[in-house]
Amino acid sequence: MTRTTHKRGGAFLLEATLPEEIFVPEMFTAEDRLIGKTAEQFLHDRVLPHTEAIERGDHALVRQLMLQAGELGLLAGDVPEVYGGLGLSHMVEALIAEKLNFQQSFALTHEVQTVLGALPLLYFGNHEQKSRYLPKIASGEWIAGFALSEARSGSDVLGMQTRATPSSDGRHFILSGEKMWITNAGIADLFTVFARTGEKEFTALLVQRNSEGLSLGREEHKLGMHGTSTRRVVFEEVKVPRENVFADGMGHHAAFCALNMGRFRLEAGAVGGLKQILALCASYAKQRKTFGRPIGDYGLIRHKLAEMAAHIFALESMVYRLAGDLEEAFSGIVPDSEEAPTRYRAAAEEFALECCAVKVIGSEVYSYLADEAIQLHGGYGYTEELPFARAWRDQRLLRIGEGANELLRIAVVTQLMRRGQTGILPLWQAMAEAESANRPLVAPAEGKDALATIADAADGAKRSALLLLRELTQREEPWREAQEIVAAIADVIGAAYGLESLYLRCLRCLKLTDRSAEPLLLSAQVAAIAYADTAYRAANYAVASLGIGMPMSANRSLEKAMEALRLNAWNPMQLRRRLAEVVLEADGYPNV
């Protein structure tokens, strides 16, 4: 199939991506790394020492820390220079999120400020609105909130009941309704509020905290994220000046675009939080002794350490590949031009599928590895003396926030199908040709045995996903009603993205560095076993659920696709043991 002339969201499934087309974290410049180091030092020097107070709900302290972060430029990356920001790349913004994550309450406050609070206005607001508010958000002078969710319309955004009605004199909108689960509510100076203005029209409004008729509920008593302020926000006929209204009739698009970026940024943070967890686990495994030996000597502990390192490597590979694609999509936008909203919307929607897939994978990996860290530490891990109980509680939100994972699995397939139906992607042609060996879906492996095996698995996962999509669309019943099958296919698609990202990062890095390739290849191989197993299990579930309508050729193709990384391809125990040695030698995540 002819390659697309520029990257399109979802196209990775239909064609081969070349290694030189992706960004990998090994490409960061010295200046980029200095910004990341600034964020890391800020976390360790100014935030983590106050963890106890933050977790007690000292929101005045959190506000002070946000102002300090603003003074260092850590809130200004997404805001263009013309509006008082730094205009950093998506890759560097992901790096900042990564470095700030280990205090997850502060990290979530930061994410709402810089992504959900700033981006709807940046993408859809007019020049005057952006000039008035974005400098305050970028500096930390004002704290931002994002008021979207309601009690009866969490994931069903279009079911919101909050209404904004023009006043009789046309100078205001009268806002009435109630928003729920609003992060930063207790410290926010400015809320971006989404409201219904017609039967199917939605609008965004900038509402200042001191507006008459705005009130807050009590702080929610949450499982985790104890350091964030989370309250209901009630609007009782609040008069919002017309000049504070933007995205008129397009408010749902403003919300969805911000959520796409939020999903990506949350999982960039997950990379950093997991690296910190692994470092603590490696240190404990070397110091803690049982039966006269460090527990790091034992096979099952090494299994956990290797799984952590491999899954972090895979998530990191996907996050920064996506960051590079987003940077390309947003390049060339003039933020204060008349066409900026149209260009911003197109860019923020382009890789929505990948944002959803990475969010699902990253949030579930965080959950799995935080739990494993508790297990590795035994009784100590179950106490509040160590940070793992807090990490486990806090990460649990990630599978719910920015769209529940069940919804996002459906969205992965829905968005892909929509792009095929509208002609953006040649999806139906790809489904028809999925079994053709003459149609490469993965870049050549260049004769490297380990990488060739990963490439085969990535190619097979792609073909399996396309074949399953073909069979799904041929069902007599509406395919959207078969949610279990749709979710399984989404898992195959996500695994395909992960496998190819592993493979492409290895190819790219082997050309970038003269360092030993062992940590790189070990991490990729161990992660590839897990991702291939995910693809194989999910695809088999989908095949079984599709029933007798699934042709035998598709079954054979599925078998061939997955046998490349069956457990008899490599010795997974030996791979994990050697990777664990590398982790212990590095005192944490190995520098690949």
Side-chain angles (χ1 to χ4, degrees):
M1 177 175 292
T2 303
R3 290 181 50 74
T4 53
T5 56
H6 61 283
K7 290 183 185 177
R8 302 307 302 259
F12 79 90
L13 190 67
L14 317 185
E15 61 189 25
T17 301
L18 302 177
E20 55 267 26
E21 294 176 322
I22 72 163
F23 182 87
V24 296
E26 290 76 13
M27 294 168 60
F28 277 126
T29 67
E31 183 180 358
D32 296 336
R33 295 182 187 280
L34 182 60
I35 295 172
K37 187 66 175 177
T38 299
E40 185 176 34
Q41 288 181 335
F42 177 77
L43 177 75
H44 284 276
D45 295 347
R46 304 199 197 180
V47 178
L48 290 179
H50 298 293
T51 289
E52 186 176 342
I54 292 171
E55 293 299 302
R56 285 200 309 267
D58 188 341
H59 301 314
L61 170 62
V62 172
R63 186 180 181 111
Q64 180 183 359
L65 291 172
M66 286 289 286
L67 185 59
Q68 293 174 13
E71 292 169 352
L72 291 173
L74 297 177
L75 307 180
D78 288 287
V79 177
E81 292 182 28
V82 68
Y83 298 121
L86 297 176
L88 300 177
S89 71
H90 285 81
M91 296 83 81
V92 174
E93 278 298 282
L95 183 62
I96 292 172
E98 175 185 327
K99 297 301 184 181
L100 291 178
N101 181 261
F102 200 50
Q103 215 307 321
Q104 289 187 69
S105 287
F106 180 80
L108 182 59
T109 301
H110 178 274
E111 187 261 344
V112 171
Q113 174 84 356
T114 59
V115 181
L116 300 184
L119 296 189
L121 175 58
L122 172 62
Y123 292 170
F124 289 84
N126 61 42
H127 178 65
E128 190 279 328
Q129 291 167 336
K130 291 189 276 193
S131 299
R132 185 160 25 117
Y133 290 116
L134 286 179
K136 291 181 170 65
I137 294 173
S139 67
E141 178 186 350
W142 279 22
I143 301 298
F146 180 81
L148 177 66
S149 295
E150 299 182 6
R152 297 184 181 180
S153 61
S155 296
D156 179 17
V157 172
L158 300 185
M160 72 174 71
Q161 297 302 307
T162 297
R163 287 193 170 272
T165 306
S167 62
S168 57
D169 60 8
R171 296 171 56 190
H172 297 84
F173 272 74
I174 309 303
L175 181 65
S176 296
E178 183 175 298
K179 298 294 184 177
M180 196 167 184
W181 316 117
I182 308 306
T183 303
N184 291 357
I187 58 175
D189 302 282
L190 181 70
F191 294 95
T192 300
V193 184
F194 299 89
R196 184 183 294 275
T197 51
E199 187 62 31
K200 295 183 179 180
E201 289 77 41
F202 301 87
T203 294
L205 306 94
L206 298 166
V207 185
Q208 295 184 191
R209 170 67 185 88
N210 59 3
S211 299
E212 185 177 353
L214 188 155
S215 61
L216 302 178
R218 62 170 178 79
E219 288 286 347
E220 298 290 347
H221 188 59
K222 309 184 297 286
L223 170 67
M225 297 291 186
H226 292 160
T228 61
S229 174
T230 308
R231 298 188 179 191
R232 298 186 184 209
V233 184
V234 181
F235 307 96
E236 296 180 285
E237 298 189 350
V238 175
K239 294 174 66 175
V240 181
R242 180 171 284 277
E243 57 266 27
N244 278 27
V245 176
F246 67 99
D248 196 5
M250 303 283 286
H252 54 303
H253 290 293
F256 293 152
C257 286
L259 289 170
N260 280 336
M261 296 301 104
R263 291 159 189 154
F264 149 70
R265 200 70 63 77
L266 284 175
E267 303 322 316
V271 171
L274 288 171
K275 285 182 180 179
Q276 293 287 330
I277 286 175
L278 178 57
L280 293 171
C281 287
S283 176
Y284 185 76
K286 291 166 71 172
Q287 296 173 10
R288 171 68 167 151
K289 292 184 178 181
T290 60
F291 307 105
R293 297 166 59 188
I295 63 172
D297 285 355
Y298 296 110
L300 289 178
I301 297 298
R302 293 197 167 198
H303 180 105
K304 294 182 189 300
L305 294 173
E307 283 286 293
M308 288 182 183
H311 278 286
I312 296 169
F313 180 79
L315 180 59
E316 184 180 52
S317 301
M318 288 182 282
V319 161
Y320 284 103
R321 175 186 182 179
L322 177 54
D325 288 343
L326 288 169
E327 183 65 16
E328 181 179 319
F330 280 86
S331 65
I333 298 176
V334 179
D336 56 349
S337 64
E338 290 185 3
E339 67 272 13
T342 301
R343 294 282 308 279
Y344 274 128
R345 176 187 167 187
E349 290 179 348
E350 185 63 49
F351 292 95
L353 185 157
E354 287 84 351
C355 288
C356 290
V358 168
K359 190 268 187 181
V360 169
I361 293 169
S363 61
E364 293 180 3
V365 161
Y366 210 158
S367 187
Y368 164 47
L369 297 187
D371 188 80
E372 284 289 82
I374 292 174
Q375 190 70 17
L376 186 146
H377 283 79
Y380 292 108
Y382 196 65
T383 70
E384 296 290 347
E385 300 299 316
L386 297 178
F388 305 110
R390 172 171 57 83
W392 183 86
R393 288 194 305 269
D394 289 348
Q395 62 74 31
R396 186 60 184 83
L397 177 63
L398 301 185
R399 286 156 57 193
I400 301 170
E402 322 294 61
N405 283 8
E406 292 79 8
L407 175 72
L408 298 189
R409 281 184 163 91
I410 304 301
V412 165
V413 174
T414 300
Q415 290 169 17
L416 183 63
M417 298 291 277
R418 184 180 298 125
R419 302 204 122 207
Q421 290 164 349
T422 56
I424 295 174
L425 295 177
L427 178 59
W428 266 258
Q429 180 184 347
M431 291 191 293
E433 298 175 357
E435 294 178 88
S436 171
N438 297 322
R439 186 173 167 277
L441 297 180
V442 176
E446 302 180 5
K448 299 176 178 66
D449 291 342
L451 293 185
T453 306
I454 300 174
D456 287 344
D459 181 89
K462 288 187 180 187
R463 294 183 193 278
S464 296
L466 290 169
L467 288 167
L468 290 165
L469 285 168
R470 185 184 72 186
E471 298 306 317
L472 179 67
T473 59
Q474 292 176 358
R475 285 167 50 92
E476 292 184 4
E477 301 84 3
W479 64 264
R480 290 179 178 82
E481 295 301 317
Q483 288 193 342
E484 301 92 333
I485 300 173
V486 171
I489 295 174
D491 284 341
V492 180
I493 294 171
Y497 188 68
L499 285 162
E500 187 180 53
S501 298
L502 290 168
Y503 168 66
L504 292 174
R505 181 179 182 183
C506 288
L507 286 182
R508 192 80 197 260
C509 288
L510 290 173
K511 297 177 181 179
L512 288 172
T513 179
D514 295 327
R515 292 196 298 266
S516 169
E518 186 185 29
L520 181 83
L521 295 176
L522 282 170
S523 299
Q525 286 174 283
V526 174
I529 291 172
Y531 277 70
D533 185 60
T534 295
Y536 188 74
R537 290 172 182 270
N540 271 331
Y541 175 85
V543 168
S545 299
L546 284 163
I548 59 174
M550 192 70 171
M552 288 303 297
S553 61
N555 278 311
R556 286 194 298 271
S557 176
L558 176 63
E559 291 289 337
K560 183 179 178 181
M562 291 297 101
E563 69 183 9
L565 275 182
R566 293 282 192 88
L567 296 187
N568 61 357
W570 300 318
N571 185 323
M573 181 181 76
Q574 294 302 328
L575 284 174
R576 289 190 179 96
R577 286 188 174 188
R578 178 55 194 143
L579 179 55
E581 289 177 9
V582 172
V583 169
L584 291 167
E585 290 166 5
D587 292 320
Y589 187 67
N591 183 6
V592 298

